[in-house]
Amino acid sequence: MSGEKKTKKRRFEKKTGRTVMVVLFSLIVAAVTVIVTLALISGIGSLSATTGKVVADEEKIRAYEEALAASEETEEVTEEAEDPDLEKAQQVLDTMTLEEKIYQLFITSPDQLTGRIGTEKPEELTEKLEAAPVGGLILYEANVYSAEQVSALLDGVQETAKIPMLLGIDAEPGHDEGLSAFGITDDSEPAAVFGDNQDLSGIKAFGTKAGADIKKVGFNLSFAPVSDTLIDLGNTEIGNRSFSSDPMTVSSMVREMIEGIHKSSVATCTKHFPGLGSTSSDTDRGPVRCARSMDELREAELIPFRTAIETETDMMMVSHVQYPAIVEGGLPASLSPIMIQEILRGELGYQGVIITDSLRKRAITNEYSSSEASVLAIQAGCDMILLPSDLEEAVNGIRAAIDSGDIREDRINESVLRILLLKAKYGLLPS
């Protein structure tokens, strides 16, 4: 018997055994419940000769309640076991090597893989993706020449991928990486215009149309909406990409845009948690510090991100801004366990995929190597890493951290399963 057939046989036996065990356990609990119920009915108490009241048997009542609780728990386990997306994701995870798991943590660009600006053809990437099977690609204006070319590029790389990739682009209003120049999407006013006009129906229509347009040529992920509140009006990194300086206006716009994109069956990546609009500095140019406190963030910047979570955004991008009043040691939000685990996962309850902002920004490169930043991001709780300056160095750094015990493989599995669940949700994983 070939190795592939043995693997399929073991996978089938494992799946079948798990299913049989769940069914048997359900039947046993159901039988116990019936027995206890009949016993309770027949012997729960006796009529007192003097009072005519039923004297309850507390132990039987307690046994009945425990059996009922166990039955409910079994139903929950069975429902989870029957989640088709979870089953698909777990099946793929079970077949992956450690090397494949590590690469799944990264979203890079065609140009980074080829080392040439303006990569436009899928055949330029075939060998690169076989050697570096990343979790996703992001395209920029340099990779966009026409609708036909973009479609051929995306279809080609997806055919190459052993595990289908997340394929994304910045499809923001007024900021679309050249898509509108070639008629792939419609030209649009910037986000600030929608916010100034309180045009909720307009931004929802934009999200729906932009989502449908990018999906038509092969994208499955929109790196949008920008959910930053423009606290500092001198901010140049966000500027008119923000809907407003009013967090409630931003919040309303974010909800409508996410719902619009989702109507086109495209995943959303809300950015840049907890906000890039509170300083006049730019993380593209170097480290950025923000003096705002946690209470101030809760009262303003975090409001749109809470709304994005309630609207079930698929991914959350974390910025490289430092918050010394919240996080000691100069760690940017993207590398901070406090920001990611305590606040984003804990306080806000976000369970989707968390990705860093681009690690090519000088806020990172001036302070950390690709290896250091990538290891810190995973340790902090990020699931994916966007555009490390040196992909191979980043991969080697995570592998070394696993070998040394600084990162557990279970921690990698946790993130990869979350990534695969997202891919399953949008029909990217095989049946």
Side-chain angles (χ1 to χ4, degrees), residues 267-312:
T268 57
C269 179
T270 299
K271 55 191 184 184
H272 310 78
F273 180 86
L276 279 178
S278 303
T279 75
S280 56
S281 302
D282 189 335
T283 58
D284 280 315
R285 299 176 181 175
V288 173
R289 294 172 180 83
C290 178
R292 289 172 71 79
S293 68
M294 195 63 232
D295 286 341
E296 287 175 313
L297 290 184
R298 290 187 183 107
E299 292 170 2
E301 289 99 313
L302 295 190
I303 293 174
F305 292 101
R306 286 185 182 276
T307 297
I309 292 169
E310 292 168 0
T311 319
E312 299 183 354

Side-chain angles (χ1 to χ4, degrees), residues 359 368-377 388 390 392-398 400-401:
L359 294 193
Y368 307 93
S369 68
S370 292
S371 173
E372 291 169 336
S374 298
V375 169
L376 286 171
D390 188 322
E392 288 309 305
E393 180 190 314
V395 168
N396 291 336
I398 292 178

Side-chain angles (χ1 to χ4, degrees), residues 7 11 90-97 100 162-163:
T7 300
R11 198 178 305 147
Q90 187 63 56
Q91 285 176 349
V92 173
L93 180 63
D94 290 344
T95 68
M96 294 173 70
T97 65
E100 289 170 338
K162 179 180 178 182
I163 299 172

Side-chain angles (χ1 to χ4, degrees), residues 58-119:
E58 294 182 359
E59 290 185 2
K60 292 177 181 177
I61 292 175
R62 191 159 51 249
Y64 173 75
E65 291 174 344
E66 290 173 356
L68 184 60
S71 177
E72 291 172 350
E73 290 176 4
T74 302
E75 289 176 3
E76 292 177 2
V77 170
T78 303
E79 287 177 4
E80 181 178 343
E82 292 175 351
D83 181 345
D85 288 345
L86 178 60
E87 185 175 1
K88 286 180 187 177
Q90 187 63 56
Q91 285 176 349
V92 173
L93 180 63
D94 290 344
T95 68
M96 294 173 70
T97 65
L98 178 58
E99 190 85 354
E100 289 170 338
K101 292 175 187 176
I102 294 173
Y103 273 108
Q104 197 69 198
L105 304 174
F106 291 91
I107 291 181
T108 187
S109 69
D111 292 352
Q112 185 174 53
L113 289 173
T114 63
R116 184 182 74 80
I117 296 175
T119 302

Side-chain angles (χ1 to χ4, degrees), residues 29 134 173 177 198 224 265 287 293 302 305 313-314 365 374-375 426:
V29 171
V134 291
E177 295 296 347
Q198 296 288 312
S265 297
S293 68
L302 295 190
F305 292 101
T313 191
D314 302 288
T365 59
S374 298
V375 169
Y426 285 93

Side-chain angles (χ1 to χ4, degrees), residues 102-394:
I102 294 173
Y103 273 108
Q104 197 69 198
L105 304 174
F106 291 91
I107 291 181
T108 187
S109 69
D111 292 352
Q112 185 174 53
L113 289 173
T114 63
R116 184 182 74 80
I117 296 175
T119 302
E120 59 179 297
K121 298 178 181 178
E123 51 266 31
E124 298 178 76
L125 293 165
T126 301
E127 291 184 6
K128 303 294 183 181
L129 287 171
E130 288 175 353
V134 291
L137 291 177
I138 181 171
L139 268 61
Y140 290 102
E141 190 168 356
N143 308 116
V144 178
Y145 294 85
S146 70
E148 293 76 15
Q149 170 267 326
V150 171
S151 183
L153 175 62
L154 296 179
D155 288 348
V157 297
Q158 203 67 296
E159 289 175 5
T160 298
K162 179 180 178 182
I163 299 172
M165 292 183 289
L166 294 170
L167 300 173
I169 196 163
D170 293 334
E172 305 171 20
H175 182 81
D176 59 23
E177 295 296 347
L179 296 175
S180 59
F182 295 96
I184 299 172
T185 62
D186 293 338
D187 196 9
S188 168
E189 296 287 353
V193 174
F194 287 93
D196 289 345
N197 295 331
Q198 296 288 312
D199 190 0
L200 295 177
S201 61
I203 196 60
K204 187 167 189 174
F206 169 85
T208 304
K209 180 68 163 55
D213 289 340
I214 66 173
K215 185 178 178 64
K216 185 176 181 180
V217 294
F219 291 103
N220 50 48
L221 170 63
S222 174
F223 283 96
V226 168
S227 301
D228 307 274
T229 302
L230 198 63
I231 304 297
D232 188 322
L233 298 183
N235 180 282
T236 57
E237 186 167 5
I238 294 299
N240 64 9
R241 293 168 65 194
S242 170
F243 287 109
S244 179
S245 58
D246 172 29
M248 298 309 296
T249 296
V250 178
S251 184
S252 299
M253 293 286 163
V254 164
R255 175 184 290 107
E256 296 301 315
M257 188 168 174
I258 290 174
E259 288 181 351
I261 296 171
H262 281 170
K263 283 180 67 176
S264 298
S265 297
V266 170
T268 57
C269 179
T270 299
K271 55 191 184 184
H272 310 78
F273 180 86
L276 279 178
S278 303
T279 75
S280 56
S281 302
D282 189 335
T283 58
D284 280 315
R285 299 176 181 175
V288 173
R289 294 172 180 83
C290 178
R292 289 172 71 79
S293 68
M294 195 63 232
D295 286 341
E296 287 175 313
L297 290 184
R298 290 187 183 107
E299 292 170 2
E301 289 99 313
L302 295 190
I303 293 174
F305 292 101
R306 286 185 182 276
T307 297
I309 292 169
E310 292 168 0
T311 319
E312 299 183 354
T313 191
D314 302 288
M315 298 178 73
M316 188 75 73
M317 182 183 291
V318 185
S319 78
H320 302 316
V321 175
Q322 299 174 20
Y323 292 85
I326 303 169
V327 179
E328 297 179 356
L331 278 177
S334 56
L335 309 183
S336 166
I338 291 175
M339 276 294 183
I340 294 169
Q341 295 182 38
E342 294 186 18
I343 299 173
L344 184 51
R345 291 279 190 221
E347 181 176 330
L348 272 64
Y350 185 59
Q351 297 302 314
V353 173
I354 297 176
I355 187 170
T356 68
D357 201 347
S358 169
L359 294 193
R360 295 189 303 185
K361 295 193 174 191
R362 291 182 182 175
I364 295 297
T365 59
N366 287 4
E367 305 285 325
Y368 307 93
S369 68
S370 292
S371 173
E372 291 169 336
S374 298
V375 169
L376 286 171
I378 296 300
Q379 290 175 329
C382 289
D383 300 303
M384 301 195 83
I385 296 162
L386 180 63
L387 289 167
S389 294
D390 188 322
L391 176 61
E392 288 309 305
E393 180 190 314

